[in-house]
Amino acid sequence: MTRSNWTTDRIPDQKGRVFVVTGATGGLGLATAHALAAKGARLVLAVRDETRGRHAAGLLSARHPDAPPPAVRPLDLADGASVRAFAARLRADGPRPDVLVNNAGVLAPPRTLTPHGHELQLAANHLGHFALTALLLDLLADGDDPRVVTVTSANHRRARIHFDDPAGARSYSPMDRYNQSKLAGALFGHELHRRLALAASPVRSVLAHPGYAATGLQGATPVPAVRLLFGRLLRPLAQSAERGALPQLYAATDPRALGGQLYGPDGPGELRGAPTRVPLAPRATDPATARRLWDLSEDLTGVRFTLPRHHEDLDPHPAPARPRQP
């Protein structure tokens, strides 16, 4: 890990570029939106609560009057129908995106199932972003320096994917399932990079994690022990949301950000600091695990990526043919 002095002052001019930011009503998402608007970007705020979204848009316009007014679009990442509706509206009405920042997430709720029967954290933190990326990928490919930024966590290094129990029916620990969702995001972002590179796509898939940032997410969890630990006891160690957003801003805007790489804070334990390249867990780059998760994600969401087919000799990790689903 190398030390870095990168700040938002280093963000290039973003006039004419369109950024879709999920979870943009507060925390890292709103901090990301403010930094992009300050550089002239056009924003699409993808939000679960439209009232909060309109409030966030008002704050952005008031602070950055020279930036284009943000668009507010409803998106519930835990609901596949909402993801499809969001993508369809963006396709029909625009604006065409240049960058997708997969930022939104939930932290350590009690076991909750979505209407589709998926465990909430896996659905909101991974499956929704997986489907959204697939549905917008062709639009992104026509963009200006197009990128997909997937926000994971240093906790991905503590996780494994429960392929035999993805919904947590047999065992459920709030933090274990949160960590799983963040490993899923890391696997997805890295595997997406590999597939995009094989397809010679212009889209970059870059990963970021915020370290430990005070975003309000920690205090919002309904699990008392998690809320006490992260929302109060450890809060003095946290950096601001503005500092926590730096790695994803670097991944989204800096010309030197590399596809397939993870950017996080350069301080001790990757808890705080300026963005620098940090290692992914070996499990997050394992091709067999990535393929298995990709197949599971397609099956659970019903959304499949469309990328140009290449000869298997070009693929360093060719996958066996999948059986057709009934």
Side-chain angles (χ1 to χ4, degrees), residues 8 11-19 32-44 60 63-70 98 253:
T8 55
I11 297 176
D13 183 85
Q14 299 298 312
K15 291 184 179 68
R17 299 186 80 209
V18 176
F19 291 75
T32 296
H34 273 296
L36 294 172
K39 297 295 182 174
R42 186 176 182 185
L43 294 164
V44 178
L60 288 162
R63 188 179 300 180
H64 313 287
D66 294 333
D98 299 294
T253 66

Side-chain angles (χ1 to χ4, degrees), residues 111-120 166-167 300:
R111 182 174 182 260
T112 306
L113 298 182
T114 72
H116 300 286
H118 305 147
E119 189 273 318
L120 178 60
L300 291 179

